[in-house]
Amino acid sequence: TNGGRGIYAHDGAGAVVVDNVVANGLTAAGVFLIRTGDVTIRNSQMNSDTVGIWMSDVGQVLVEDNQFDNHAQSGAVIDRATAVVVRNTTVSNNAISGLVATNLSGTIDLVNLTASDNVEHGSSVRGGSPTLSVTGGLFSGNDLYGIHFDAVSNATISNVTVDGNGAVDAAAGGIFASTSKPAAVITIQDSVVKNNVAAGSAGIYVGGTGRAQLERTTVDGNRAVAGGGISQDQSATAALTVRQSTFSNNTATATASSSVAVGGGGARLKTALIENSTFTGNTAGDDGGAIFVDVTAVDVQLVNSTVTLNSAGREGGGVYNEQSSIYLRGANSIFAGNTANSAGGTLAQDIRGVFGSGSGNLVGDIAGSTGVSLTFDLSGTAAALLDPRLAPLADNGGTTLTHN
């Protein structure tokens, strides 16, 4: 049994594992490799062991067309490799995480990975300073984050579906994106992040330093205490840019009586530029049905964007700006058709708080906001709401659904 290992090798010039099945109760790992040089594992199945594959201090790694399921710990653990490619592989129903990569220094490419129904993360990249690429794939039903990384030089996530991860009592949900590298750029593009649930941030969490970009992505039906769709860590310095994306039907469950009385059904923001994007159908139990601008905010801007049909249990059915000295800025954007219950607050259907106009905005109800330009913006009042005459959310030829 090789000490509870199905295939065991160490201190070699390379390792190739092809067309194997290793299963049923091995106490260490199906494949256990240490200091073996380059590694290829292809077209193999590892089932019901302690760990599917475990390797450390290896060279270039190719894991392709495999299945690692039902292990007592994780499906695959890769530690200290020079470069990693995982392609067309499934990691599912493992008692810890699907795929764990630690202390990498080169690149890690996850291509068409299916990571589902694992007790912790679908995939997790920790430590080191690799460049991460996630292309295609499904991350679903994991009890913590579907995709998790906390130490990368750069990261690009493209064409993935992140669906139904997290739990109501977990601090995690769809994507955890963070880095301590000031020059790092994190890009999430052409993806769908939906139906994730968490006590913390549900759809996407952005933390650490560097820059984060969200492009041509749908964030829908996520639910968290605050920042249901996306949440920036309020102690972090990472700046966020959102382009051509839609936040719909997300929920922030905190209410005015909650221990964390903040909202942001669609987003909780600190430093962000939102361009050509849509916030619709989002709900907050407290403030900011679509967007909650935190008291720690540095700068939040909306340009050529639409905020409509969102609702808040208290104030700011569209947007709530908690920061009194920093403008929430808008230009050529629509803030209309939102609702606020205002229990214990001031009626503010569309915008609550300080607003800096870059001109060209349409605000359905000006009540509750200061700074809307009567010269360069169109605005209504509670007695005479301004109707933007938007069509229902639909496919209007872009990459996400929008109101026309």
Side-chain angles (χ1 to χ4, degrees), residues 189-203:
Q189 59 191 14
D190 303 307
S191 296
V192 176
V193 181
K194 64 179 181 178
N195 303 325
N196 301 286
V197 192
S201 55

Side-chain angles (χ1 to χ4, degrees), residues 15 36-40 55 58-63 81-85 107:
T36 57
D38 295 344
V39 174
T40 297
M55 64 184 76
V58 294
Q60 298 184 42
V61 175
L62 173 62
V63 177
T82 58
V84 175
V85 176
T107 59

Side-chain angles (χ1 to χ4, degrees), residues 292-305:
F292 183 93
V293 179
D294 201 89
V295 70
T296 62
V298 177
D299 185 31
V300 175
Q301 302 180 53
L302 281 85
V303 180
N304 299 325
S305 294

Side-chain angles (χ1 to χ4, degrees), residues 117-273:
D117 300 307
N118 299 287
V119 173
E120 292 189 5
H121 306 299
S123 68
S124 181
V125 178
R126 313 169 192 168
S129 57
T131 296
L132 169 65
S133 174
V134 184
T135 306
L138 172 65
F139 300 80
S140 66
N142 303 287
D143 287 352
L144 293 182
Y145 286 103
I147 299 174
H148 170 274
F149 55 90
D150 62 12
V152 296
S153 294
N154 290 291
T156 302
I157 299 172
S158 304
N159 295 293
V160 301
T161 297
V162 182
D163 183 8
N165 301 282
V168 294
D169 58 349
I175 300 175
F176 181 103
S178 182
T179 177
S180 60
K181 309 298 186 291
V185 178
I186 296 168
T187 301
I188 302 169
Q189 59 191 14
D190 303 307
S191 296
V192 176
V193 181
K194 64 179 181 178
N195 303 325
N196 301 286
V197 192
S201 55
I204 303 169
Y205 166 92
V206 177
T209 59
R211 294 185 291 120
Q213 302 174 159
L214 184 71
E215 301 172 342
R216 302 179 302 277
T217 290
T218 295
V219 182
D220 179 78
N222 302 284
R223 180 164 55 91
V225 172
I230 190 168
S231 181
Q232 287 184 279
D233 188 315
Q234 302 307 296
S235 64
T237 61
L240 171 66
T241 300
V242 176
R243 297 187 178 97
Q244 295 177 277
S245 295
T246 295
F247 294 77
S248 54
N249 308 309
N250 302 288
T251 302
T253 60
T255 65
S257 60
S258 301
S259 58
V260 181
V262 295
R268 183 184 182 189
L269 302 177
K270 178 182 179 182
T271 305
L273 171 62

Side-chain angles (χ1 to χ4, degrees), residues 318-402:
V319 182
Y320 182 94
N321 184 8
E322 190 179 40
Q323 171 61 272
S324 60
S325 61
I326 298 294
Y327 283 134
L328 157 72
R329 296 190 283 170
N332 301 317
S333 294
I334 295 172
F335 306 85
N338 304 286
T339 57
N341 184 45
S342 293
T346 301
L347 184 63
Q349 305 282 18
D350 293 313
I351 302 173
R352 176 71 170 101
V354 178
F355 180 81
S357 175
S359 79
N361 299 293
L362 187 154
V363 183
D365 180 3
I366 198 174
S369 61
T370 59
V372 176
S373 171
L374 299 180
T375 303
F376 300 108
D377 297 316
L378 298 175
S379 60
T381 65
L385 294 174
L386 190 59
D387 184 357
R389 299 181 181 179
L390 296 172
L393 195 68
D395 183 353
N396 293 301
T399 54
T400 66
L401 302 181
T402 57

